[in-house]
Amino acid sequence: MAADRMNRDWRLEWAFPALGRLPTALPWRLACWLGRDAPAARRATERFLQQRFGQVFPAASQEQHAQWASKHMDMVATEMLDAAALHRLGAPGGPRIALQGLEHVQALQQRGQGFILVLNHYDRLLTAVIALGRRGVPLNILTMPVMDNPGLSAAQRAFLVHKIATTTRITGGQWRTSSEPLRPVHEGLRNGQAWVILADAWGPDFARMRDHAFLGGYLRLPTGVERLAESTGAALLYARTRSLAPDRMEVAVEALSGTPQGAIDTVIQRLDRDVRERPWAWWHWGIWDQMWQPAAKEGENNV
């Protein structure tokens, strides 16, 4: 479902990079036709998604489940093109990005206060980062490991490294992974830097996690963002992307108040609302069984 499901095939190796070089925003309308996966793999993933949506949203019709599955596959194909042509997002002739909430970033910059820009695996992942980078906001990125991730092939590592390198060129920041020493992240936040971190990043080896109310049950997520904010005094902002069309997105940046723990609770509440509204736009359905637990008896779902 997420980046680790990308197949090493002609799409990843050259089709999407070649498509991203075509003029105008037409490539983003062709990406859905090309698809992220081969037809057989796409059909299998859509069947899986329909079953998952039926489990989590039983009140919706089978036709709705099928539509959501198709929309999800279109989204991941478009996001793959985004990754292959990040330099064109928000640039003339590329997909348009409308940005709201820039004033929250500017207020923190004027005070010289470091902040964490919190994202979720929702919709097209790096749109908010690129939108702010286009407006001169330096952003650093903290991700899960890439080069030493055994779940990634060599081609997938190369693709992701290129994606992150292009992003940091646009934002003027640096990239670190959670497997590296985090002292530069702590020092940077204390000295006024901005770091991008995904709140719903998940791995089976994460040690410090807590539960959040989510879709009638509980989503278990790491506490790294809130612990970083507590130890450094960094502010917290939340950014959400909403795709209006393959070549048109809007980004909303929100200032988070209260304690860091309460702020992350708010972030997951926003994610709960957004996933209920647009289930196809969340990336983590493939690891749902590992992240989520029912609120009451085994097998009971109160969505």
Side-chain angles (χ1 to χ4, degrees):
M1 305 301 300
D4 59 0
R5 291 287 306 275
M6 293 190 301
N7 294 320
R8 182 176 184 177
D9 62 14
W10 60 273
R11 291 169 176 80
L12 176 61
E13 298 286 351
W14 62 265
F16 277 99
L19 188 62
R21 290 192 288 270
L22 296 178
T24 77
L26 177 63
W28 278 266
R29 296 188 175 274
L30 296 177
C32 298
W33 168 80
L34 175 62
R36 184 195 65 177
D37 300 321
R42 172 168 179 149
R43 288 192 295 270
T45 301
E46 287 190 358
R47 287 194 297 269
F48 166 83
L49 285 167
Q50 290 175 45
Q51 293 172 356
R52 179 68 81 213
F53 291 143
Q55 171 193 356
V56 181
F57 302 98
S61 67
Q62 292 183 356
E63 291 77 13
Q64 188 70 73
H65 298 154
Q67 290 175 8
W68 291 342
S70 179
K71 285 185 175 182
H72 181 91
M73 299 309 295
D74 287 346
M75 179 196 70
V76 296
T78 308
E79 201 272 343
M80 181 174 278
L81 179 58
D82 290 347
L86 276 173
H87 63 286
R88 298 189 58 193
L89 266 63
R96 291 176 292 166
I97 308 173
L99 175 63
Q100 300 175 351
L102 178 62
E103 66 274 11
H104 301 306
V105 176
Q106 293 172 330
L108 293 171
Q109 289 180 312
Q110 290 171 2
R111 296 202 300 267
Q113 183 176 3
F115 67 89
I116 300 172
L117 181 69
V118 184
L119 306 180
N120 282 310
H121 283 88
Y122 182 82
D123 212 293
R124 289 153 72 178
L125 296 181
L126 291 176
T127 306
V129 179
I130 299 300
L132 291 170
R134 294 283 184 210
R135 288 159 176 81
V137 179
L139 292 170
N140 307 282
I141 300 174
L142 179 65
T143 73
M144 293 180 66
V146 173
M147 296 307 297
D148 52 353
N149 186 333
L152 298 174
S153 70
Q156 291 164 351
R157 291 189 187 99
F159 187 88
L160 292 173
V161 168
H162 172 76
K163 174 180 178 179
I164 296 169
T166 303
T167 302
T168 53
R169 281 199 297 271
I170 293 170
T171 64
Q174 59 178 301
W175 167 46
R176 295 191 70 82
T177 73
S178 56
S179 62
E180 298 177 295
L182 295 184
R183 182 176 178 180
V185 181
H186 284 260
E187 292 179 347
L189 288 170
R190 292 191 183 101
N191 292 325
Q193 289 183 356
W195 284 82
V196 178
I197 308 177
L198 287 154
D200 66 344
W202 192 90
D205 298 328
F206 287 161
R208 299 184 183 180
M209 306 179 77
R210 67 183 180 90
D211 292 341
H212 301 263
F214 189 77
L215 297 184
Y218 294 98
L219 198 65
R220 176 154 291 187
L221 295 174
T223 59
V225 175
E226 58 203 61
R227 287 187 287 111
L228 262 178
E230 287 171 354
S231 66
T232 63
L236 290 168
L237 301 179
Y238 175 55
R240 185 201 69 167
T241 296
R242 184 183 181 94
S243 295
L244 306 177
D247 59 352
R248 190 160 58 94
M249 297 90 78
E250 62 180 17
V251 171
V253 178
E254 174 185 353
L256 299 168
S257 59
T259 65
Q261 181 172 321
I264 298 304
D265 288 340
T266 298
V267 167
I268 305 307
Q269 290 168 10
R270 299 286 190 272
L271 180 63
D272 178 275
R273 176 198 64 193
D274 290 338
V275 173
R276 289 176 186 271
E277 180 183 352
R278 302 165 78 232
W280 53 267
W282 195 41
W283 286 77
H284 277 335
W285 295 116
I287 54 175
W288 169 260
D289 288 335
Q290 301 172 65
M291 301 176 68
W292 185 88
Q293 300 177 32
K297 292 184 297 185
E298 185 71 20
E300 183 175 328
N301 195 314
N302 299 320
V303 174

